Amino acid sequence: MASETDTSTAPTDPDTPRAADQDEPSTPEGPETPETPEGPEVRDMPEDPAQPAQPRPPARRARGQTARNMLLSMALTSVGAFFLYLFIPHDESTDHLRPVAYDVESATAARVAPYELLVPEGLPQEWRANSVRYEPQGQHGATWRLGFVDPEEEYAALAQADGDSEGFVASITRQAEDTGSVRRIDGREWARYEGPEYDALVLREPGVTTVVLGTASQDGLAELASALEPRLPDDGRP
C-alpha cells in the first residue's frame, strides 16, 4: 500500500515574523549638518535692480591712495620748511662756519697792497675767522676783506679799499648811514654808521678807507677795530 505524502506545513511560530512582513532596518540618524552661514556680499547691489552690480574697489586702489597721500604730505612739509627758511632772519655770511687761517693770505696781500694792510692781533679764541679775500683790482680798487664770527655768533668783518670812499662804504655796509657820531679807538676817530642790515665803524685816511661792519653790537665792532694792527710783508712771518 502506497505511503501518503504529508503535505501539511509545519506550524509557524506566531512570534516569528515572516520575511515579507519584516520592516527594513532604518539607518540611524546622525547629527544634523549645520547650515553654512552666508558670507559678505561680493558686490554692492544698486538700488535699481536694472543696473548691474558695482564691483568693490580692489585693495591695490586703497594702497595707491595711501601712497599718494603720503607723497602729498611730504611735499607740503618740504614747501613749508622752505618758506620758513626764507622768512626767518639769518645772515648769509655766517652760514658757513668753517674756520680759516689768514696768515699766509694777509702776508701775500701786504706785499702788493697799495696801502697799509690791517689784521687783528690778540683777539680771543672765540673769534673765528671764516672768510678771507684780497682783490687787487675791482670796482672799489684794491680790496682786502676778512670775515669773523664773534663770541655772540654774530657776523663781523674788516674791509679796506683805496677807491672812492663813499661808494665803497655804501656798498660794503649795504646802504648804512652816517649817524653823525664818532667812536674814539686807540687815538683814532671812527665814524658810526647804522643800517637795516649792518652797522659799521668807518675810518677814512689818505689813500685808504677802513670799515669794520656786521651784525655784531657796536661794542663787538669796537673790539675788532681796537685789535687791528699793520700787517707788514717783512715782519718775519711767512
Side-chain angles (χ1 to χ4, degrees), residues 150-189:
D150 77 356
E152 303 300 325
E153 299 295 325
E154 296 290 343
Y155 171 61
L158 160 69
Q160 290 183 281
D162 63 346
D164 174 64
S165 180
E166 294 301 325
F168 172 63
V169 172
S171 175
I172 202 70
T173 65
R174 300 188 182 181
Q175 307 303 318
E177 296 182 354
D178 192 346
T179 63
S181 62
V182 298
R183 183 154 186 167
R184 191 172 183 85
I185 301 173
D186 297 333
R188 296 176 176 178
E189 292 186 348

Side-chain angles (χ1 to χ4, degrees), residues 42 55-69:
V42 177
R56 292 184 175 182
R60 62 175 177 272
R61 184 180 303 173
R63 291 195 296 268
Q65 291 176 348
T66 301
R68 184 166 58 251
N69 292 340

Side-chain angles (χ1 to χ4, degrees), residues 93-177:
S93 300
T94 61
D95 285 347
H96 305 288
L97 300 181
R98 181 175 60 86
V100 299
Y102 53 89
D103 285 345
V104 174
E105 289 82 355
S106 60
T108 302
R111 294 188 182 100
V112 297
Y115 48 80
E116 187 176 63
L117 201 80
L118 299 179
V119 295
E121 295 286 351
L123 281 176
Q125 292 183 352
E126 291 78 10
W127 285 79
R128 293 163 290 164
N130 67 342
S131 65
V132 57
R133 183 176 65 189
Y134 177 74
E135 188 176 6
Q137 187 61 45
Q139 181 181 359
H140 304 291
T143 305
W144 165 245
R145 295 188 62 173
L146 186 58
F148 289 88
V149 178
D150 77 356
E152 303 300 325
E153 299 295 325
E154 296 290 343
Y155 171 61
L158 160 69
Q160 290 183 281
D162 63 346
D164 174 64
S165 180
E166 294 301 325
F168 172 63
V169 172
S171 175
I172 202 70
T173 65
R174 300 188 182 181
Q175 307 303 318
E177 296 182 354

Side-chain angles (χ1 to χ4, degrees), residues 120-121 123 185-186 190 212 219 221-229:
E121 295 286 351
L123 281 176
I185 301 173
D186 297 333
W190 297 69
V212 175
D219 288 340
L221 298 179
E223 183 178 3
L224 177 56
S226 65
L228 297 179
E229 298 288 345

